[in-house]
Short mmCIF file of all heavy atoms in Angstrom, two decimals:
data_model
loop_
_atom_site.label_atom_id
_atom_site.label_comp_id
_atom_site.label_asym_id
_atom_site.label_seq_id
_atom_site.Cartn_x
_atom_site.Cartn_y
_atom_site.Cartn_z
N PRO A 983 -16.23 47.09 -14.85
CA PRO A 983 -17.50 46.99 -15.55
C PRO A 983 -17.75 48.15 -16.50
O PRO A 983 -17.11 49.19 -16.45
CB PRO A 983 -18.52 47.00 -14.40
CG PRO A 983 -17.76 46.61 -13.18
CD PRO A 983 -16.37 47.14 -13.40
N ASP A 984 -18.71 47.94 -17.40
CA ASP A 984 -19.16 48.98 -18.32
C ASP A 984 -20.04 49.95 -17.55
O ASP A 984 -21.12 49.59 -17.10
CB ASP A 984 -19.94 48.32 -19.46
CG ASP A 984 -20.41 49.33 -20.49
OD1 ASP A 984 -20.28 50.54 -20.25
OD2 ASP A 984 -20.91 48.90 -21.54
N PRO A 985 -19.62 51.19 -17.38
CA PRO A 985 -20.37 52.11 -16.52
C PRO A 985 -21.76 52.45 -17.03
O PRO A 985 -22.65 52.77 -16.25
CB PRO A 985 -19.49 53.37 -16.49
CG PRO A 985 -18.15 52.92 -16.93
CD PRO A 985 -18.39 51.81 -17.88
N LEU A 986 -21.97 52.39 -18.36
CA LEU A 986 -23.25 52.84 -18.90
C LEU A 986 -24.38 51.86 -18.65
O LEU A 986 -25.55 52.22 -18.77
CB LEU A 986 -23.11 53.07 -20.41
CG LEU A 986 -22.24 54.26 -20.83
CD1 LEU A 986 -22.02 54.24 -22.32
CD2 LEU A 986 -22.90 55.58 -20.42
N VAL A 987 -24.04 50.61 -18.30
CA VAL A 987 -25.08 49.58 -18.24
C VAL A 987 -26.13 49.90 -17.19
O VAL A 987 -27.33 49.76 -17.42
CB VAL A 987 -24.44 48.20 -17.98
CG1 VAL A 987 -25.51 47.16 -17.71
CG2 VAL A 987 -23.59 47.79 -19.17
N SER A 988 -25.70 50.33 -16.00
CA SER A 988 -26.65 50.49 -14.89
C SER A 988 -27.03 51.94 -14.63
O SER A 988 -27.67 52.23 -13.63
CB SER A 988 -26.04 49.90 -13.61
OG SER A 988 -24.86 50.57 -13.29
N LEU A 989 -26.66 52.86 -15.50
CA LEU A 989 -26.99 54.27 -15.26
C LEU A 989 -28.49 54.47 -15.18
O LEU A 989 -28.99 55.15 -14.28
CB LEU A 989 -26.39 55.14 -16.37
CG LEU A 989 -26.75 56.62 -16.33
CD1 LEU A 989 -26.31 57.25 -15.02
CD2 LEU A 989 -26.12 57.35 -17.51
N LYS A 990 -29.23 53.89 -16.11
CA LYS A 990 -30.68 54.10 -16.10
C LYS A 990 -31.31 53.48 -14.85
O LYS A 990 -32.26 54.02 -14.29
CB LYS A 990 -31.30 53.49 -17.36
CG LYS A 990 -32.78 53.80 -17.48
CD LYS A 990 -33.35 53.32 -18.80
CE LYS A 990 -34.82 53.67 -18.90
NZ LYS A 990 -35.41 53.23 -20.18
N ARG A 991 -30.78 52.35 -14.40
CA ARG A 991 -31.30 51.73 -13.18
C ARG A 991 -31.17 52.68 -12.00
O ARG A 991 -32.09 52.81 -11.19
CB ARG A 991 -30.53 50.44 -12.88
CG ARG A 991 -31.04 49.69 -11.65
CD ARG A 991 -29.98 48.75 -11.12
NE ARG A 991 -28.84 49.49 -10.59
CZ ARG A 991 -27.66 48.97 -10.36
NH1 ARG A 991 -27.41 47.72 -10.67
NH2 ARG A 991 -26.67 49.72 -9.86
N GLU A 992 -30.02 53.37 -11.91
CA GLU A 992 -29.83 54.31 -10.82
C GLU A 992 -30.82 55.47 -10.91
O GLU A 992 -31.36 55.92 -9.90
CB GLU A 992 -28.40 54.86 -10.85
CG GLU A 992 -27.32 53.84 -10.55
CD GLU A 992 -27.39 53.37 -9.11
OE1 GLU A 992 -27.49 54.22 -8.22
OE2 GLU A 992 -27.36 52.15 -8.89
N VAL A 1001 -26.71 57.44 -1.52
CA VAL A 1001 -25.44 56.81 -1.88
C VAL A 1001 -24.33 57.30 -0.96
O VAL A 1001 -23.55 56.50 -0.43
CB VAL A 1001 -25.10 57.10 -3.35
CG1 VAL A 1001 -23.74 56.51 -3.71
CG2 VAL A 1001 -26.17 56.57 -4.27
N LEU A 1015 -19.43 64.93 -8.90
CA LEU A 1015 -18.50 63.92 -8.38
C LEU A 1015 -18.31 62.89 -9.48
O LEU A 1015 -19.23 62.15 -9.82
CB LEU A 1015 -19.06 63.27 -7.12
CG LEU A 1015 -19.40 64.21 -5.96
CD1 LEU A 1015 -20.08 63.45 -4.84
CD2 LEU A 1015 -18.14 64.90 -5.44
N LEU A 1017 -16.90 59.55 -11.36
CA LEU A 1017 -16.42 58.18 -11.19
C LEU A 1017 -15.55 57.74 -12.36
O LEU A 1017 -14.47 57.20 -12.18
CB LEU A 1017 -17.60 57.20 -11.06
CG LEU A 1017 -18.37 57.16 -9.74
CD1 LEU A 1017 -19.72 56.50 -9.95
CD2 LEU A 1017 -17.57 56.39 -8.69
N TYR A 1018 -16.06 57.93 -13.58
CA TYR A 1018 -15.43 57.38 -14.78
C TYR A 1018 -15.20 58.48 -15.82
O TYR A 1018 -15.94 59.47 -15.87
CB TYR A 1018 -16.31 56.31 -15.44
CG TYR A 1018 -16.78 55.22 -14.52
CD1 TYR A 1018 -18.07 55.24 -13.97
CD2 TYR A 1018 -15.96 54.15 -14.20
CE1 TYR A 1018 -18.51 54.23 -13.14
CE2 TYR A 1018 -16.40 53.13 -13.37
CZ TYR A 1018 -17.68 53.18 -12.84
OH TYR A 1018 -18.12 52.18 -12.01
N VAL A 1071 -23.77 50.43 0.19
CA VAL A 1071 -23.33 50.52 -1.20
C VAL A 1071 -22.37 49.37 -1.50
O VAL A 1071 -21.43 49.12 -0.75
CB VAL A 1071 -22.64 51.88 -1.45
CG1 VAL A 1071 -22.04 51.92 -2.85
CG2 VAL A 1071 -23.64 53.01 -1.27
N ARG A 1072 -22.63 48.66 -2.59
CA ARG A 1072 -21.80 47.53 -2.97
C ARG A 1072 -21.08 47.82 -4.29
O ARG A 1072 -21.57 48.54 -5.14
CB ARG A 1072 -22.66 46.26 -3.14
CG ARG A 1072 -23.46 45.88 -1.90
CD ARG A 1072 -24.12 44.52 -2.09
NE ARG A 1072 -24.91 44.46 -3.31
CZ ARG A 1072 -26.19 44.82 -3.39
NH1 ARG A 1072 -26.80 45.29 -2.31
NH2 ARG A 1072 -26.85 44.72 -4.53
N ASP A 1073 -19.92 47.20 -4.43
CA ASP A 1073 -19.17 47.20 -5.69
C ASP A 1073 -18.78 48.59 -6.16
O ASP A 1073 -18.65 48.82 -7.37
CB ASP A 1073 -19.98 46.50 -6.79
CG ASP A 1073 -20.37 45.08 -6.40
OD1 ASP A 1073 -19.57 44.44 -5.70
OD2 ASP A 1073 -21.46 44.64 -6.79
N MET A 1074 -18.57 49.54 -5.26
CA MET A 1074 -18.07 50.86 -5.67
C MET A 1074 -16.55 50.79 -5.65
O MET A 1074 -15.89 51.15 -4.68
CB MET A 1074 -18.58 51.95 -4.74
CG MET A 1074 -18.13 53.35 -5.16
SD MET A 1074 -18.72 54.67 -4.06
CE MET A 1074 -20.35 54.96 -4.73
N ALA A 1231 -17.95 61.86 -19.16
CA ALA A 1231 -17.73 61.59 -17.73
C ALA A 1231 -19.01 61.03 -17.12
O ALA A 1231 -20.12 61.35 -17.57
CB ALA A 1231 -17.30 62.86 -17.01
N MET A 1232 -18.85 60.20 -16.11
CA MET A 1232 -20.00 59.63 -15.40
C MET A 1232 -19.75 59.67 -13.91
O MET A 1232 -18.62 59.50 -13.45
CB MET A 1232 -20.26 58.20 -15.86
CG MET A 1232 -20.66 58.08 -17.31
SD MET A 1232 -21.10 56.39 -17.75
CE MET A 1232 -22.53 56.16 -16.69
N GLY A 1233 -20.79 59.89 -13.17
CA GLY A 1233 -20.70 59.95 -11.72
C GLY A 1233 -22.00 60.44 -11.14
O GLY A 1233 -23.07 59.91 -11.44
N TYR A 1234 -21.92 61.49 -10.32
CA TYR A 1234 -23.11 62.03 -9.65
C TYR A 1234 -23.07 63.56 -9.73
O TYR A 1234 -22.00 64.17 -9.73
CB TYR A 1234 -23.16 61.60 -8.19
CG TYR A 1234 -23.29 60.10 -7.99
CD1 TYR A 1234 -22.16 59.32 -7.78
CD2 TYR A 1234 -24.54 59.49 -8.03
CE1 TYR A 1234 -22.27 57.94 -7.61
CE2 TYR A 1234 -24.66 58.11 -7.85
CZ TYR A 1234 -23.52 57.35 -7.65
OH TYR A 1234 -23.64 55.99 -7.49
N SER A 1249 -29.42 57.97 -5.43
CA SER A 1249 -29.31 57.18 -6.66
C SER A 1249 -29.71 57.98 -7.87
O SER A 1249 -29.08 57.88 -8.94
CB SER A 1249 -30.19 55.92 -6.55
OG SER A 1249 -29.74 55.07 -5.53
N ASP A 1251 -29.32 60.94 -8.51
CA ASP A 1251 -28.34 61.95 -8.89
C ASP A 1251 -27.25 61.37 -9.80
O ASP A 1251 -26.33 62.10 -10.19
CB ASP A 1251 -27.70 62.57 -7.64
CG ASP A 1251 -28.70 63.34 -6.80
OD1 ASP A 1251 -29.53 64.03 -7.38
OD2 ASP A 1251 -28.65 63.22 -5.56
N ALA A 1252 -27.32 60.07 -10.12
CA ALA A 1252 -26.39 59.49 -11.08
C ALA A 1252 -26.51 60.24 -12.40
O ALA A 1252 -27.61 60.60 -12.84
CB ALA A 1252 -26.69 58.00 -11.28
N HIS A 1253 -25.38 60.49 -13.05
CA HIS A 1253 -25.42 61.41 -14.18
C HIS A 1253 -24.26 61.13 -15.13
O HIS A 1253 -23.25 60.53 -14.76
CB HIS A 1253 -25.33 62.85 -13.66
CG HIS A 1253 -25.68 63.90 -14.67
ND1 HIS A 1253 -26.79 63.83 -15.48
CD2 HIS A 1253 -25.05 65.06 -15.01
CE1 HIS A 1253 -26.84 64.90 -16.26
NE2 HIS A 1253 -25.79 65.65 -15.99
N ALA A 1254 -24.43 61.55 -16.38
CA ALA A 1254 -23.37 61.54 -17.38
C ALA A 1254 -23.31 62.91 -18.03
O ALA A 1254 -24.34 63.56 -18.22
CB ALA A 1254 -23.64 60.46 -18.44
N TRP A 1255 -22.12 63.36 -18.35
CA TRP A 1255 -21.94 64.68 -18.94
C TRP A 1255 -20.67 64.67 -19.80
O TRP A 1255 -19.77 63.85 -19.59
CB TRP A 1255 -21.85 65.77 -17.87
CG TRP A 1255 -20.68 65.64 -16.94
CD1 TRP A 1255 -19.46 66.22 -17.06
CD2 TRP A 1255 -20.63 64.85 -15.73
NE1 TRP A 1255 -18.64 65.88 -16.02
CE2 TRP A 1255 -19.33 65.03 -15.18
CE3 TRP A 1255 -21.52 64.01 -15.06
CZ2 TRP A 1255 -18.93 64.41 -14.01
CZ3 TRP A 1255 -21.12 63.40 -13.90
CH2 TRP A 1255 -19.85 63.60 -13.38
N GLU A 1341 -21.35 43.21 -16.23
CA GLU A 1341 -22.78 43.43 -16.16
C GLU A 1341 -23.15 44.76 -15.53
O GLU A 1341 -24.22 45.27 -15.79
CB GLU A 1341 -23.42 42.30 -15.35
CG GLU A 1341 -23.28 40.95 -16.00
CD GLU A 1341 -23.92 39.86 -15.17
OE1 GLU A 1341 -24.38 40.16 -14.05
OE2 GLU A 1341 -23.97 38.74 -15.65
N ASP A 1342 -22.30 45.32 -14.73
CA ASP A 1342 -22.68 46.49 -13.97
C ASP A 1342 -21.57 47.51 -13.94
O ASP A 1342 -20.41 47.16 -14.04
CB ASP A 1342 -23.03 46.09 -12.53
CG ASP A 1342 -24.48 46.39 -12.22
OD1 ASP A 1342 -25.13 47.09 -13.00
OD2 ASP A 1342 -24.94 45.93 -11.18
N GLY A 1343 -21.94 48.77 -13.78
CA GLY A 1343 -20.92 49.79 -13.69
C GLY A 1343 -21.07 50.64 -12.46
O GLY A 1343 -20.15 50.82 -11.70
N PHE A 1344 -22.26 51.20 -12.25
CA PHE A 1344 -22.51 52.00 -11.06
C PHE A 1344 -22.62 51.08 -9.85
O PHE A 1344 -23.10 49.96 -9.95
CB PHE A 1344 -23.80 52.79 -11.21
CG PHE A 1344 -23.58 54.19 -11.73
CD1 PHE A 1344 -23.45 54.42 -13.09
CD2 PHE A 1344 -23.48 55.26 -10.87
CE1 PHE A 1344 -23.24 55.69 -13.58
CE2 PHE A 1344 -23.27 56.54 -11.35
CZ PHE A 1344 -23.16 56.75 -12.71
N PRO A 1345 -22.15 51.53 -8.68
CA PRO A 1345 -22.30 50.72 -7.47
C PRO A 1345 -23.75 50.49 -7.16
O PRO A 1345 -24.60 51.34 -7.41
CB PRO A 1345 -21.60 51.55 -6.39
CG PRO A 1345 -21.60 52.94 -6.92
CD PRO A 1345 -21.50 52.81 -8.41
N ALA A 1346 -24.04 49.32 -6.61
CA ALA A 1346 -25.42 48.97 -6.28
C ALA A 1346 -25.77 49.47 -4.89
O ALA A 1346 -24.99 49.35 -3.96
CB ALA A 1346 -25.60 47.46 -6.35
N VAL A 1347 -26.97 50.03 -4.76
CA VAL A 1347 -27.47 50.48 -3.47
C VAL A 1347 -28.77 49.75 -3.20
O VAL A 1347 -29.74 49.91 -3.94
CB VAL A 1347 -27.73 52.00 -3.46
CG1 VAL A 1347 -28.18 52.45 -2.08
CG2 VAL A 1347 -26.48 52.75 -3.86
#
Side-chain angles (χ1 to χ4, degrees):
D984 182 351
L986 290 171
V987 172
S988 60
L989 175 59
K990 186 174 181 180
R991 182 201 67 197
E992 293 293 313
V1001 177
L1015 303 174
L1017 284 162
Y1018 309 100
V1071 173
R1072 303 188 306 272
D1073 304 326
M1074 183 180 276
M1232 295 185 64
Y1234 297 95
S1249 296
D1251 295 319
H1253 194 46
W1255 62 93
E1341 296 180 354
D1342 243 348
F1344 266 83
V1347 183

